[in-house]
Amino acid sequence: MVRDPLGDGDTPELQPVLDALDDPDCRRIVRQLDEPMTASEISSRCDIPTSTTYRKLERLTDASILSEATAIRTDGHHTSEYTLAFEEVSVFLDDERQFEVSITRPTHSAEEQLAGLWAEVRKET
């Protein structure tokens, strides 16, 4: 399942974000993810077993910290690539003194926005 937290304007839930950021392997992945990478590339670079890497990537995408997109390959073997989906994560108290989380997203160029639009069209067809 390809998930793009940048595609929806929903505010992420507090607990999944805190859980992901509390996980040392998740933090290691975030620190190493300086360009789009596949799960196997992340596993190798972070020295985390592949099965564990997939669980951590799911945790990070569910928390809207990473974005997952399909990388189209000419050989027909498409794969998922992961990128950072945030610039800043803030935890704060709202007007009712409840904890909230806010994630500042990176700005996207027109080319990136068009690529995202085409990805959405492909999902619908």
Side-chain angles (χ1 to χ4, degrees):
M1 178 170 131
V2 176
R3 293 165 286 197
D4 181 6
L6 306 175
D8 60 20
D10 295 335
T11 302
E13 293 292 320
L14 175 65
Q15 197 59 52
V17 172
L18 294 177
D19 290 344
L21 294 176
D22 186 46
D23 185 311
D25 288 335
C26 288
R27 290 194 311 268
R28 187 178 325 149
I29 290 169
V30 168
R31 283 192 305 272
Q32 293 296 318
L33 200 59
D34 55 358
E35 63 184 350
M37 296 170 66
T38 65
S40 61
E41 291 168 336
I42 292 168
S43 174
S44 176
R45 185 178 285 183
C46 295
D47 196 28
I48 301 172
T50 304
S51 59
T52 302
T53 299
Y54 279 106
R55 285 195 312 276
K56 303 305 178 174
L57 290 172
E58 183 174 4
R59 174 177 264 185
L60 288 162
T61 54
D62 287 348
S64 299
I65 293 172
L66 295 185
S67 176
E68 178 184 1
T70 301
I72 307 299
R73 296 192 173 163
T74 56
D75 64 3
H77 294 98
H78 310 313
T79 187
S80 289
E81 286 186 335
Y82 299 87
T83 57
L84 293 180
F86 76 98
E87 290 180 347
E88 180 178 289
V89 176
S90 301
V91 177
F92 59 94
L93 289 172
D94 67 11
D95 293 338
E96 284 122 28
R97 309 285 297 162
Q98 299 294 317
F99 282 101
E100 293 288 331
V101 64
S102 171
I103 295 183
T104 304
R105 306 288 180 197
T107 57
H108 294 285
S109 69
E111 182 178 295
E112 291 169 324
Q113 291 176 14
L114 182 59
L117 177 64
W118 278 115
E120 291 298 315
V121 169
R122 278 197 310 271
K123 280 195 271 185
E124 297 298 323
T125 58

